[in-house]
Structure formats: structure tokens, C-alpha cells
């Protein structure tokens, strides 16, 4: 993903001496410890998300983004979480010069891939002290072990090469504690709900999702019907889905102006709404756990909410226009005002902008 950068102009005078910021070797283990232990609030989910997204990126590079990645979930009998892709494998130089270094990434010049930070490929260290990278290249399986050594900096070492009939690609293998097996399954199921191509699941049953019924749809958004609980849209937050990850947001995050509130844009910020965003549309945190509500992100979401509002009004107008009598139109208005309908949250916008006959 291309990072969003701010152009800055710095004027200075009277400088006698300056020094650039950096990291001394004596503090390196401390900084890497922060990246490993304090970056992610949900360490199991971070492991599932980061390596699965990297695998999807690999399929994009290989030209078959529609092909599912393979995810093996841990069980009591096999305490390993695995992610397998069938994209470009990693050569020895790529392991040593890119993969082993924090902050190094090959994805900062494209919005076709989600990665860019050069951190997620080491996210297994947030959960444990080692993981294995199997790189399948032209009939050979190259096995690398990444581990935290006594220096607390960490190393990545090649431990062998084997002949194989496996397709080219990468497999990440992460040991899982026995008490965490169900947590991995539960969190993987929640994460993959929003993947454009659901991964092939091994180790447990293939995930099957019950889809909510859409009420209104646009090119980049869907407004869903409530699931039977009249308060569900108030419990939940709307979600902006970008790069297969669903990021929740709230009205308070967008700091609406008075004019935007008068437009009724805050009425759009309900759990019924899912927005589709292209990679690079929104700023994300370093952990990829949530959005950064920068001015660029705010403007993007505000523009999308306007698109949603206009789309709902247009589709509601069509539905009212199709009613042959005033009584039928009043019945539809009753549906709008029904607490459980999924339209109740936008009733004021519809009533203010839609007329029958």
C-alpha cells in the first residue's frame, strides 16, 4: 500500500550543529521488544491477520488473486497455525535483506497490496519466540527458523533444504499453546468473514457464513437489514472494509461539523452500514488493528457517507414512486418507522427528502 505522506516545508536559521535521529545498537533490543510486545493489543488475531494478508498479497503479485490461500488452524493434536500461499517464494537474499529487517517492504509503490510497514511479517514474535518459514522454489523446500536469541534482537537461520513436489510459494508455521487453539479458530472465523476470497480452511470445518439481507446497495456500500434484534444497529458500529480487513468507526471519530450534521450524515453512521474502500483510501495504525482518523481519512469517509445518503434517498424515492395508492405509500412509510426494519435509523433522512406523488 502506498503510504499517505504530508509535504512539509521547514525553515530554520542560526543552526550551529545538528545530528540525525537513529537507534544505537545498545538500544536495538529495547526498540524491537516494543515492536514485538506492545504494538498489538490482540496478539492471536495479529498473527492470523498479518500472515493471511501477506499470503493474499502474494497471490495478487502472482496474478491469481481469486485463488484461496490455505490456512491450517491449530488443534489439540497439532499445535501449529499455518498459512500457505502459492505466490512468489522468497529467495535467500530476500530473506536476509528484506524479510529479516523491520521497516523493509517491497509493497510501498502499489495499492494492489495491503502491506507496506515491514512489521507484520514478524508479528509471530508478538505471540511466541519462534516461527518457521518454508519457501518452496522450483522443486526445493528451503526451511528457515526465526527465533528470539539471548540478545533479544532475534535471528533468522537456514536449517535445511529438501526436495519437494510442492508448488512454489511460502508457508508460515507458528507453534500455538494448547490453551489457545479455540481462540485461534474463533478469531480466524471472525476475520475471514470479510475476506473477498475466503481461505481454504484446514484443521477444522470450512467456515460458512450467513449473509445479512441487504436493503440498499451502491457500488461501494451496502445497508443491511437488522438481524431481528431491533437494537443491533446501535450495538454495532459501521465498518469500512479495506484490503480484506473490516475497520469499525463511530460518529465521534469523524468530528462532524454542524453543516454535516444538518445534512444527516451522522444518521448514516449505524451498524447497518458496510463501506467498501480501495487499498490506500484510509490511513491505518501501525498495528493494522484500527484506522487513524487523519484529515484525509475523515474526508474520505465523509464523502462515502454522502454517497450512501444520496443512494438511499434515490432508491427510497423509487420504492415510493412504485406505490399505486396513498394507502400503499403510507404502509411503506410505516415500514420506515418500524424499529426493527433497518430503515428506522435513516427515517429522518427519508422523510425529509422523499415524497409520494
Amino acid at each position: 500500500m502506498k503510504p499517505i505522506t504530508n509535504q512539509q516545508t521547514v525553515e530554520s536559521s542560526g543552526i550551529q550543529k545538528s545530528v540525525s535521529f537513529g537507534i544505537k545498537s545498545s538500544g536495538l533490543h529495547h526498540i524491537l521488544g516494543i515492536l514485538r510486545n506492545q504494538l498489538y493489543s490482540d496478539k492471536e488475531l495479529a498473527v492470523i491477520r498479518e500472515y493471511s494478508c501477506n499470503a493474499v498479497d502474494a497471490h495478487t503479485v502472482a496474478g491469481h488473486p481469486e485463488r484461496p490461500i490455505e490456512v491450517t488452524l491449530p488443534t489439540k493434536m497439532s499445535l501449529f497455525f499455518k498459512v500457505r500461499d502459492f505466490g512468489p517464494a522468497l529467495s535467500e537474499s530476500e530473506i536476509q535483506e528484506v524479510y529479516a529487517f523491520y521497516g523493509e517492504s517491497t509493497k510501498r509503490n502499489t495499492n494492489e497490496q495491503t502491506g507496506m510497514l515491514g512489521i507484520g511479517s514478524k508479528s509471530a514474535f508478538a505471540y511466541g519466540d519462534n516461527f518457521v518459514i518454508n519457501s518452496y522454489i522450483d522443486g526445493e523446500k528451503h526451511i528457515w527458523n526465526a527465533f528470539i536469541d539471548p540478545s533479544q534482537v532475534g535471528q533468522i537461520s537456514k536449517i535445511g533444504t529438501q526436495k519437494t513436489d510442492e508448488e512454489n510459494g511460502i508457508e508460515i508455521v507458528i507453534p500455538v499453546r494448547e490453551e489457545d487453539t479455540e481462540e485461534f479458530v474463533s478469531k480466524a472465523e471472525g476475520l475471514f468473514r470479510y475476506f473477498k476470497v475466503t481461505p481454504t480452511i484446514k484443521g477444522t470445518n470450512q467456515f460458512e457464513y450467513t449473509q445479512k439481507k441487504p436493503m440498499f446497495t451502491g457500488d461501494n456500500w451496502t445497508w443491511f437489514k437488522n438481524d431481528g434484534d431491533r437494537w443491533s444497529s446501535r450495538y454495532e458500529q459501521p465498518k469500512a472494509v479495506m484490503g480484506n480487513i473490516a475497520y469499525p468507526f463511530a460518529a465521534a471519530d469523524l468530528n462532524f461539523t454542524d453543516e454535516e450534521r444538518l445534512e444527516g450524515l451522522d444518521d448514516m453512521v449505524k451498524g447497518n452500514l458496510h463501506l467498501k474502500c480501495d487499498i490506500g483510501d484510509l490511513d491505518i495504525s501501525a498495528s493494522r488493528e484500527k484506522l487513524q482518523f487523519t484529515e484525509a481519512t475523515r474526508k474520505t469517509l465523509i464523502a462515502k457517507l454522502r454517497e450512501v445518503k444520496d443512494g438511499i434517498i434515490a432508491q427510497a424515492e423509487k420504492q415510493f414512486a412504485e406505490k399505486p395508492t396513498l394507502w400503499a405509500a403510507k404502509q411503506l412509510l410505516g415500514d420506515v418507522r418500524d424499529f426493527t426494519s433497518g430503515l428506522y435509523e435513516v427515517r429522518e433522512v427519508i422523510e425529509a427528502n422523499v415524497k409520494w406523488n
Side-chain angles (χ1 to χ4, degrees):
M1 183 173 75
K2 294 180 180 179
I4 299 174
T5 57
N6 296 320
Q7 299 295 326
Q8 296 182 340
T9 301
V10 178
E11 296 181 5
S12 58
S13 62
I15 294 177
Q16 296 183 356
K17 190 175 183 180
S18 64
V19 61
S20 297
F21 286 99
I23 301 173
K24 289 186 176 181
S25 58
S26 59
L28 187 59
H29 73 281
H30 171 66
I31 297 300
L32 296 186
I34 291 173
L35 291 175
R36 288 194 296 265
N37 301 317
Q38 299 179 31
L39 183 63
Y40 302 108
S41 63
D42 189 328
K43 300 183 188 312
E44 294 90 355
L45 182 57
V47 167
I48 303 166
R49 180 184 61 247
E50 297 304 317
Y51 292 110
S52 298
C53 285
N54 284 349
V56 171
D57 283 347
H59 282 197
T60 299
V61 172
H64 46 71
E66 72 292 339
R67 182 176 180 177
I69 63 172
E70 292 183 359
V71 175
T72 302
L73 293 167
T75 67
K76 304 291 185 182
M77 301 296 293
S78 179
L79 295 172
F80 296 97
F81 171 75
K82 303 177 184 179
V83 178
R84 174 74 156 96
D85 70 58
F86 304 94
L90 289 170
S91 66
E92 187 163 327
S93 63
E94 288 171 324
I95 290 278
Q96 294 175 341
E97 297 173 15
V98 179
Y99 201 95
F101 286 88
Y102 283 83
E104 290 298 308
S105 176
T106 60
K107 305 176 184 179
R108 294 189 184 124
N109 295 318
T110 177
N111 278 333
E112 296 298 315
Q113 302 172 62
T114 60
M116 70 157 179
L117 298 171
I119 298 174
S121 61
K122 295 83 170 170
S123 60
F125 286 145
Y127 178 77
D129 290 336
N130 82 289
F131 65 100
V132 171
I133 305 110
N134 294 321
S135 184
Y136 298 93
I137 307 177
D138 300 333
E140 291 186 333
K141 177 183 178 181
H142 300 264
I143 307 166
W144 297 81
N145 187 36
F147 60 97
I148 303 301
D149 58 2
S151 73
Q152 295 298 301
V153 172
Q155 294 186 31
I156 186 166
S157 302
K158 190 168 187 177
I159 58 177
T161 302
Q162 302 172 356
K163 295 293 184 182
T164 182
D165 294 328
E166 289 267 3
E167 288 184 63
N168 284 6
I170 294 291
E171 181 184 50
I172 303 296
V173 182
I174 301 166
V176 173
R177 294 182 285 273
E178 184 175 356
E179 62 269 23
D180 293 336
T181 55
E182 292 182 5
E183 195 82 356
F184 266 80
V185 173
S186 173
K187 290 178 178 178
E189 185 174 15
L191 177 75
F192 295 145
R193 173 179 293 276
Y194 300 98
F195 270 46
K196 187 175 181 180
V197 179
T198 304
T200 298
I201 302 298
K202 298 183 175 183
T204 188
N205 294 330
Q206 183 70 30
F207 297 143
E208 295 182 4
Y209 299 104
T210 300
Q211 299 296 330
K212 290 184 177 181
K213 181 180 178 181
M215 300 196 74
F216 298 112
T217 59
D219 291 338
N220 298 302
W221 59 273
T222 304
W223 187 277
F224 289 100
K225 183 177 176 62
N226 288 348
D227 58 7
D229 182 344
R230 69 182 188 178
W231 297 105
S232 61
S233 65
R234 300 190 179 195
Y235 297 147
E236 299 177 12
Q237 291 182 316
K239 295 175 179 64
V241 181
M242 183 178 76
N244 289 315
I245 305 301
Y247 296 100
F249 63 96
D253 297 322
L254 300 181
N255 194 24
F256 286 114
T257 65
D258 290 341
E259 290 78 9
E260 289 162 350
R261 290 185 185 280
L262 286 173
E263 286 183 67
L265 296 185
D266 53 334
D267 288 331
M268 302 296 105
V269 187
K270 299 296 187 294
N272 307 77
L273 177 64
H274 286 186
L275 295 175
K276 177 185 174 183
C277 300
D278 292 330
I279 295 173
D281 278 355
L282 308 172
D283 286 319
I284 57 173
S285 65
S287 66
R288 278 210 286 198
E289 292 179 332
K290 57 186 179 180
L291 296 175
Q292 288 191 84
F293 291 97
T294 60
E295 186 59 21
T297 294
R298 195 190 88 85
K299 286 181 177 179
T300 297
L301 290 176
I302 291 292
K304 288 183 177 294
L305 291 176
R306 285 198 176 101
E307 181 183 342
V308 172
K309 176 193 167 185
D310 292 343
I312 288 177
I313 290 171
Q315 293 176 47
E317 283 179 335
K318 182 178 179 182
Q319 290 185 24
F320 273 94
E322 291 172 348
K323 298 302 177 183
T325 65
L326 178 59
W327 175 247
K330 284 185 174 182
Q331 286 181 310
L332 181 57
L333 182 60
D335 290 339
V336 172
R337 292 172 173 170
D338 182 350
F339 229 13
T340 65
S341 69
L343 295 172
Y344 184 80
E345 306 294 354
V346 290
R347 66 195 183 284
E348 293 183 4
V349 169
I350 291 176
E351 290 178 10
N353 293 278
V354 177
K355 298 184 183 302
W356 177 81
N357 198 19

